[in-house]
Short mmCIF file of all heavy atoms in Angstrom, two decimals:
data_model
loop_
_atom_site.label_atom_id
_atom_site.label_comp_id
_atom_site.label_asym_id
_atom_site.label_seq_id
_atom_site.Cartn_x
_atom_site.Cartn_y
_atom_site.Cartn_z
N LEU N 9 -8.84 36.35 60.18
CA LEU N 9 -8.28 35.09 60.56
C LEU N 9 -6.81 35.20 61.11
O LEU N 9 -6.44 34.55 62.01
CB LEU N 9 -8.38 34.07 59.35
CG LEU N 9 -9.77 33.64 58.95
CD1 LEU N 9 -9.64 32.75 57.72
CD2 LEU N 9 -10.43 32.88 60.11
N MET N 23 -7.27 28.72 79.25
CA MET N 23 -8.28 29.64 79.66
C MET N 23 -9.67 29.08 79.40
O MET N 23 -10.59 29.13 80.25
CB MET N 23 -8.13 30.95 78.97
CG MET N 23 -9.19 32.03 79.26
SD MET N 23 -9.37 33.31 78.04
CE MET N 23 -10.39 32.50 76.81
N MET N 27 -12.57 28.01 82.04
CA MET N 27 -13.91 28.65 81.98
C MET N 27 -14.96 27.57 81.93
O MET N 27 -16.07 27.77 82.55
CB MET N 27 -13.95 29.57 80.82
CG MET N 27 -13.09 30.78 80.95
SD MET N 27 -13.24 31.95 79.62
CE MET N 27 -14.93 32.55 79.79
N ASN N 43 -31.69 21.59 95.27
CA ASN N 43 -31.98 20.43 96.14
C ASN N 43 -31.98 20.83 97.59
O ASN N 43 -32.81 20.26 98.33
CB ASN N 43 -30.85 19.41 95.87
CG ASN N 43 -31.10 18.54 94.64
OD1 ASN N 43 -31.79 17.51 94.67
ND2 ASN N 43 -30.53 19.02 93.52
N PHE N 53 -33.07 20.26 105.85
CA PHE N 53 -31.88 20.93 105.40
C PHE N 53 -30.75 20.66 106.37
O PHE N 53 -30.88 20.71 107.62
CB PHE N 53 -32.14 22.42 105.30
CG PHE N 53 -30.88 23.22 104.85
CD1 PHE N 53 -30.49 23.17 103.57
CD2 PHE N 53 -30.16 23.97 105.80
CE1 PHE N 53 -29.36 23.91 103.11
CE2 PHE N 53 -29.04 24.71 105.38
CZ PHE N 53 -28.61 24.60 104.07
N ASP N 57 -25.14 20.49 103.42
CA ASP N 57 -25.59 21.03 102.13
C ASP N 57 -25.06 22.44 101.94
O ASP N 57 -24.61 22.77 100.78
CB ASP N 57 -27.16 21.10 102.13
CG ASP N 57 -27.77 19.73 102.20
OD1 ASP N 57 -27.21 18.80 101.52
OD2 ASP N 57 -28.74 19.52 102.85
N LEU N 62 -21.18 26.27 99.33
CA LEU N 62 -20.07 27.21 99.46
C LEU N 62 -18.78 26.74 98.76
O LEU N 62 -18.00 27.46 98.12
CB LEU N 62 -19.74 27.50 100.96
CG LEU N 62 -20.88 28.25 101.72
CD1 LEU N 62 -20.50 28.40 103.15
CD2 LEU N 62 -21.03 29.58 101.14
N THR N 63 -18.48 25.37 98.90
CA THR N 63 -17.33 24.78 98.26
C THR N 63 -17.38 24.86 96.80
O THR N 63 -16.40 25.27 96.14
CB THR N 63 -17.20 23.35 98.73
OG1 THR N 63 -17.08 23.25 100.15
CG2 THR N 63 -15.93 22.66 98.14
N ARG N 85 0.62 37.58 74.31
CA ARG N 85 1.19 36.92 73.21
C ARG N 85 0.69 37.49 71.87
O ARG N 85 1.46 37.74 70.89
CB ARG N 85 0.95 35.41 73.26
CG ARG N 85 1.55 34.63 72.14
CD ARG N 85 1.22 33.11 72.33
NE ARG N 85 1.87 32.31 71.28
CZ ARG N 85 1.35 32.10 70.05
NH1 ARG N 85 0.24 32.66 69.75
NH2 ARG N 85 2.06 31.35 69.26
N GLY N 86 -0.64 37.70 71.82
CA GLY N 86 -1.23 38.25 70.60
C GLY N 86 -0.69 39.71 70.35
O GLY N 86 -0.38 40.02 69.16
N PHE N 87 -0.61 40.52 71.37
CA PHE N 87 -0.07 41.80 71.19
C PHE N 87 1.38 41.79 70.76
O PHE N 87 1.72 42.56 69.78
CB PHE N 87 -0.18 42.55 72.57
CG PHE N 87 0.56 43.86 72.67
CD1 PHE N 87 0.07 44.94 71.93
CD2 PHE N 87 1.74 43.93 73.34
CE1 PHE N 87 0.78 46.15 71.99
CE2 PHE N 87 2.43 45.17 73.38
CZ PHE N 87 1.94 46.26 72.73
N PHE N 90 1.53 40.81 67.01
CA PHE N 90 1.12 41.84 66.13
C PHE N 90 2.11 42.98 66.03
O PHE N 90 2.41 43.52 64.95
CB PHE N 90 -0.24 42.47 66.64
CG PHE N 90 -0.75 43.56 65.78
CD1 PHE N 90 -1.50 43.27 64.66
CD2 PHE N 90 -0.50 44.85 66.10
CE1 PHE N 90 -1.95 44.29 63.87
CE2 PHE N 90 -1.03 45.96 65.34
CZ PHE N 90 -1.72 45.62 64.14
N VAL N 114 1.55 57.12 63.87
CA VAL N 114 2.45 56.21 64.53
C VAL N 114 2.32 56.31 66.05
O VAL N 114 2.51 55.27 66.70
CB VAL N 114 3.94 56.58 64.13
CG1 VAL N 114 4.94 55.72 64.91
CG2 VAL N 114 4.13 56.41 62.66
N THR N 122 -2.54 50.00 70.74
CA THR N 122 -2.67 48.61 70.21
C THR N 122 -2.83 47.65 71.36
O THR N 122 -3.58 46.70 71.31
CB THR N 122 -1.40 48.29 69.40
OG1 THR N 122 -1.20 49.30 68.43
CG2 THR N 122 -1.57 46.94 68.71
N PHE N 135 -15.67 37.45 78.32
CA PHE N 135 -16.99 37.78 78.81
C PHE N 135 -18.11 36.97 78.02
O PHE N 135 -18.98 36.42 78.65
CB PHE N 135 -17.24 39.25 78.73
CG PHE N 135 -18.67 39.67 79.13
CD1 PHE N 135 -19.08 39.71 80.45
CD2 PHE N 135 -19.56 39.97 78.11
CE1 PHE N 135 -20.37 40.05 80.78
CE2 PHE N 135 -20.84 40.33 78.43
CZ PHE N 135 -21.32 40.35 79.77
N LYS N 138 -17.89 33.31 78.78
CA LYS N 138 -18.37 33.03 80.10
C LYS N 138 -19.91 33.07 80.16
O LYS N 138 -20.61 32.24 80.78
CB LYS N 138 -17.75 34.01 81.13
CG LYS N 138 -18.19 33.78 82.57
CD LYS N 138 -17.50 34.74 83.51
CE LYS N 138 -16.08 34.50 83.58
NZ LYS N 138 -15.38 35.32 84.61
N LEU N 143 -24.87 30.10 80.52
CA LEU N 143 -26.22 29.98 80.02
C LEU N 143 -26.50 28.52 79.72
O LEU N 143 -27.63 27.95 80.07
CB LEU N 143 -26.41 30.87 78.79
CG LEU N 143 -27.84 30.95 78.24
CD1 LEU N 143 -28.76 31.65 79.23
CD2 LEU N 143 -27.78 31.73 76.92
N LEU N 169 -30.84 37.35 70.94
CA LEU N 169 -29.64 38.26 71.18
C LEU N 169 -28.63 38.17 70.02
O LEU N 169 -28.09 39.18 69.67
CB LEU N 169 -29.04 37.89 72.51
CG LEU N 169 -29.84 38.20 73.74
CD1 LEU N 169 -29.11 37.59 74.98
CD2 LEU N 169 -30.05 39.67 73.90
N GLN N 188 -12.43 54.97 68.25
CA GLN N 188 -11.07 54.59 68.35
C GLN N 188 -10.14 55.60 67.70
O GLN N 188 -9.10 55.98 68.16
CB GLN N 188 -10.81 53.14 67.85
CG GLN N 188 -9.40 52.61 68.15
CD GLN N 188 -9.16 52.47 69.65
OE1 GLN N 188 -10.08 52.06 70.38
NE2 GLN N 188 -7.98 52.81 70.10
N GLN N 197 -2.25 64.08 70.15
CA GLN N 197 -2.16 65.51 70.43
C GLN N 197 -1.66 65.76 71.80
O GLN N 197 -0.95 66.73 72.10
CB GLN N 197 -3.52 66.16 70.15
CG GLN N 197 -3.98 66.13 68.75
CD GLN N 197 -3.14 67.09 67.86
OE1 GLN N 197 -2.45 67.93 68.39
NE2 GLN N 197 -3.24 66.92 66.55
N PHE N 206 7.92 70.12 77.62
CA PHE N 206 9.26 69.70 78.19
C PHE N 206 10.43 70.22 77.31
O PHE N 206 11.52 70.35 77.77
CB PHE N 206 9.35 68.17 78.35
CG PHE N 206 8.52 67.64 79.41
CD1 PHE N 206 7.43 66.83 79.17
CD2 PHE N 206 8.72 68.00 80.74
CE1 PHE N 206 6.68 66.35 80.24
CE2 PHE N 206 7.97 67.56 81.81
CZ PHE N 206 6.93 66.70 81.53
#
Side-chain angles (χ1 to χ4, degrees):
L9 291 177
M23 179 201 81
M27 290 182 69
N43 282 273
F53 181 74
D57 295 323
L62 294 176
T63 301
R85 182 180 184 275
F87 168 73
F90 180 83
V114 176
T122 307
F135 173 77
K138 181 177 294 188
L143 188 66
L169 291 174
Q188 190 63 40
Q197 293 291 343
F206 287 117

